[in-house]
Amino acid sequence: QVQLVESGGGLVQPGGSLRLSCAASGFTFSNYAMRWYRQAPGKEREVVAAISTTGGMTNYAASVKGRFTISRDNAKNTVYLQMSSLKSEDTAVYYCYALRIYPGGGYDYWGQGTQVTVSS
């Protein structure tokens, strides 16, 4: 069955770094664009970063641009989010998301999320 399994979250001090991973299975990973979302307590889920199927195009939310880097390894069916210069406002549950759009429809999948807490 389809699975997206995030890992790498945890507690980090302000200014620190973390690398999140999302391992995909049950679908053809290389055919799917990937995104990282996050949701802080009491706030709506927001997109953080996106990457195309080949990794040739990336986009970032303004709040993380220059601090976060999204990448993917299609041979390992894994997408990454390297986070640096972390701030308290980056505290959230981080989710990976897979999307493939066909004419007239598409498929999408969500991971279960991993908690990132930035605190001293």
Side-chain angles (χ1 to χ4, degrees), residues 18-60:
L18 278 177
R19 188 174 84 152
L20 305 183
S21 300
C22 173
S25 61
F27 62 100
T28 305
F29 179 74
S30 59
N31 287 345
Y32 283 69
M34 298 298 296
R35 299 175 186 169
W36 285 96
Y37 284 78
R38 68 184 180 187
Q39 188 166 21
K43 294 190 176 181
E44 292 189 357
R45 192 171 295 190
E46 62 175 354
V47 62
V48 174
I51 190 166
S52 61
T53 55
T54 63
M57 290 193 298
T58 58
N59 282 292
Y60 299 92

Side-chain angles (χ1 to χ4, degrees), residues 9 25-27 34 39 43 47 50-51 55 58 63-64 67 69 72-73 86 88 90 92 94 101 106 109 114 116-117:
S25 61
F27 62 100
M34 298 298 296
Q39 188 166 21
K43 294 190 176 181
V47 62
I51 190 166
T58 58
S63 58
V64 307
R67 301 188 297 120
T69 302
R72 66 189 296 160
D73 185 338
L86 283 161
S88 58
D90 295 317
Y94 284 71
I101 297 176
Y109 309 114
T114 186
V116 171
T117 303

Side-chain angles (χ1 to χ4, degrees), residues 2-4 27 32-35 37 45 96-102 105-111:
V2 171
Q3 280 193 306
L4 291 172
F27 62 100
Y32 283 69
M34 298 298 296
R35 299 175 186 169
Y37 284 78
R45 192 171 295 190
C96 70
Y97 173 76
L99 174 66
R100 185 176 187 186
I101 297 176
Y102 296 89
Y107 296 97
D108 66 340
Y109 309 114
W110 287 95

